[in-house]
Amino acid sequence: MVRQVTTKQAGSWKALLAISMATGGLLWHLLACTESPMTFSADGKNLAFVTMEPYDGNDFLTAGSHAYRLMLLSEDKPLRVIEETADFMLSGPGFSRDGKRLCYVRVPLLTKERMELLKESIEKRRNCIHGSDSFSWSAEPKPPENIATETPTSQPSPSVDSLMMPSFEANMKLAKRESMNSKVPAMLIVRDTETGNVVSSTPFEWPLGDNVDEALFISYYLTTRPQYSPDGKWVHLCCGDIVMAVNPSSGDSRIYAIAADGLLSPDGETVAVLVGSAIGFIRTDGQAATYRRLEGELSLGGMAWVATD
């Protein structure tokens, strides 16, 4: 898959093109096989991305079957492989605002046997939660038939429109995740851009819910791109369909919403999220949230902030 990338720093692209020319089109080959989001540093001098080899859209979870590589291309250095692993899935990378730090997420992969055990465990929990209770309120005694009423009994049942935002379904999805208690032990890795050395490794839990399939992890790999807050204290990311933030220093984490997408504003004060047929604007301090209902089909191309407002 070929991804088109652009940047305002024309000089940076001249350097990148010079590298690609000198290496016989190496850069073009890398861009053609890259599937994770690619990220430029703010000054345009560094380009970071992750590759999966061999690429297999039907298998993202089997340990040892794919090599994930985090690569960094700089103006004044040859292409560097910062990390290579077959035991973890690596998310797309993100740069700090000053370009000195590079972060990404490691997700441990499973053997086929452990994957089957996970599915069996989740199925057992699902059955325990839902159970087989057949209680129905309508089975209780009916009122006497001789009670007078002015309302014709043939009147159709009125419709019930849910005006909740986020929707009732989205809230139930969140409750189901918590009740299933299935969490992925992920790790937020921060590296020094200049040396490539690990600065910090912060564990956090990614709520998995009861929908364990490849599509969820494909979404994680293809779309996750961490975003630093302006002060560098928090890293915001969308794990599958969970919009959250992790503090690399304290280890604290925040969950903003269950959404198809989530994006931090340029000033770091608001997270925009897509929740079903609504768009939400959530303050990162947790003090307020505003939702607006969206009409029509939504684009699958994601969101972008034009300005802070």
Side-chain angles (χ1 to χ4, degrees):
M1 181 175 181
V2 178
R3 295 190 183 277
Q4 184 178 10
V5 292
T6 58
T7 179
K8 295 180 180 179
Q9 289 78 13
S12 302
W13 266 111
K14 291 180 181 179
L16 296 180
L17 290 174
I19 293 174
S20 67
M21 292 291 287
T23 57
L26 173 62
L27 176 62
W28 173 253
H29 172 73
L30 289 172
L31 296 183
C33 68
T34 298
E35 291 294 333
S36 80
M38 293 181 283
T39 305
F40 275 103
S41 58
D43 59 9
K45 295 182 178 181
N46 296 289
L47 175 66
F49 50 89
V50 171
T51 62
M52 172 188 181
E53 186 182 353
Y55 181 80
D56 185 354
N58 297 316
D59 181 11
F60 276 76
L61 295 176
T62 306
S65 60
H66 312 284
Y68 288 89
R69 296 183 180 91
L70 171 64
M71 300 187 183
L72 183 62
L73 185 61
S74 306
E75 281 189 336
D76 55 352
K77 293 183 179 181
L79 179 69
R80 290 181 285 166
V81 178
I82 305 299
E83 180 172 337
E84 180 177 349
T85 178
D87 297 319
F88 296 88
M89 178 193 297
L90 304 181
S91 77
F95 283 99
S96 59
R97 298 295 176 98
D98 59 10
K100 295 181 179 180
R101 296 287 186 266
L102 178 68
C103 72
Y104 57 99
V105 177
R106 287 183 189 144
V107 177
L109 300 175
L110 301 173
T111 62
K112 291 183 178 180
E113 291 76 15
R114 287 191 59 78
M115 186 61 190
E116 290 303 316
L117 288 175
L118 172 62
K119 291 181 178 180
E120 290 177 8
S121 174
I122 288 179
E123 183 64 25
K124 289 180 180 178
R125 295 178 196 175
R126 185 189 296 119
N127 291 335
C128 289
I129 292 172
H130 294 296
S132 58
D133 190 353
S134 59
F135 173 81
S136 174
W137 197 284
S138 60
E140 296 302 304
K142 296 181 180 180
E145 297 181 356
N146 59 352
I147 295 180
T149 176
E150 295 181 358
T151 304
T153 57
S154 61
Q155 181 179 357
S157 300
S159 63
V160 178
D161 296 327
S162 175
L163 300 182
M164 293 175 59
M165 287 191 292
S167 67
F168 177 78
E169 291 76 15
N171 285 299
M172 289 300 295
K173 189 176 181 181
L174 175 58
K176 181 186 294 185
R177 282 179 181 273
E178 290 301 310
S179 62
M180 292 303 296
N181 195 32
S182 300
K183 302 181 187 297
V184 177
M187 185 80 69
L188 177 66
I189 309 299
V190 177
R191 289 182 181 267
D192 183 274
T193 303
E194 183 66 24
T195 65
N197 295 333
V198 174
V199 175
S200 64
S201 301
T202 308
F204 70 95
E205 292 184 330
W206 165 26
L208 183 60
D210 66 347
N211 184 25
V212 182
D213 58 20
E214 297 294 338
L216 185 64
F217 287 86
I218 290 173
S219 165
Y220 181 88
Y221 176 67
L222 297 180
T223 62
T224 299
R225 179 168 53 190
Q227 289 181 281
Y228 272 92
S229 60
D231 58 11
K233 294 181 179 180
W234 290 88
V235 175
H236 295 75
L237 62 156
C238 187
C239 291
D241 61 354
I242 299 288
V243 182
M244 61 185 302
V246 178
N247 188 316
S249 298
S250 66
D252 297 333
S253 59
R254 300 170 173 172
I255 294 180
Y256 295 107
I258 291 181
D261 202 358
L263 200 62
L264 182 67
S265 63
D267 62 2
E269 295 184 0
T270 307
V271 175
V273 298
L274 287 175
V275 185
S277 59
I279 184 168
F281 299 97
I282 304 172
R283 280 176 43 174
T284 52
D285 61 7
Q287 295 301 308
T290 301
Y291 288 88
R292 291 289 183 181
R293 199 174 308 279
L294 299 176
E295 302 294 340
E297 296 295 328
L298 300 182
S299 168
L300 297 179
M303 298 184 295
W305 281 88
V306 177
T308 294
D309 58 355

